[in-house]
Amino acid sequence: MAFKIRRGAPIPWGSPPGQTGMPESEGDESAHDVAEELSKLADLRDRGVLTQDEFDAQKQRLLGA
């Protein structure tokens, strides 16, 4: 699915729990997913699509802190 993000627009990351249509993964697969998502977020930040604050907020959400 391709989409464009405008500066200041809500970021469509993830789905609410239980609404993904796929079972929750565990272990290494889950850690890999988080690392992959962080990498994507870092790329968006580096390209100027996300601000540092937006990146930090999404990182905290992913890491559960």
Side-chain angles (χ1 to χ4, degrees):
M1 176 171 109
F3 56 88
K4 293 183 180 182
I5 299 175
R6 297 184 326 264
R7 184 168 291 287
I11 301 171
W13 296 117
S15 299
Q19 295 184 6
T20 62
M22 299 184 68
E24 298 276 332
S25 60
E26 295 182 26
D28 292 338
E29 194 172 314
S30 179
H32 175 73
D33 291 343
V34 170
E36 185 176 329
E37 191 71 16
L38 283 172
S39 179
K40 290 177 184 178
L41 287 168
D43 180 57
L44 290 171
R45 179 201 57 206
D46 294 345
R47 291 188 292 139
V49 176
L50 294 178
T51 65
Q52 183 65 44
D53 289 340
E54 291 168 328
F55 171 80
D56 290 339
Q58 291 300 319
K59 179 180 172 183
Q60 291 300 320
R61 182 187 63 81
L62 285 170
L63 297 177

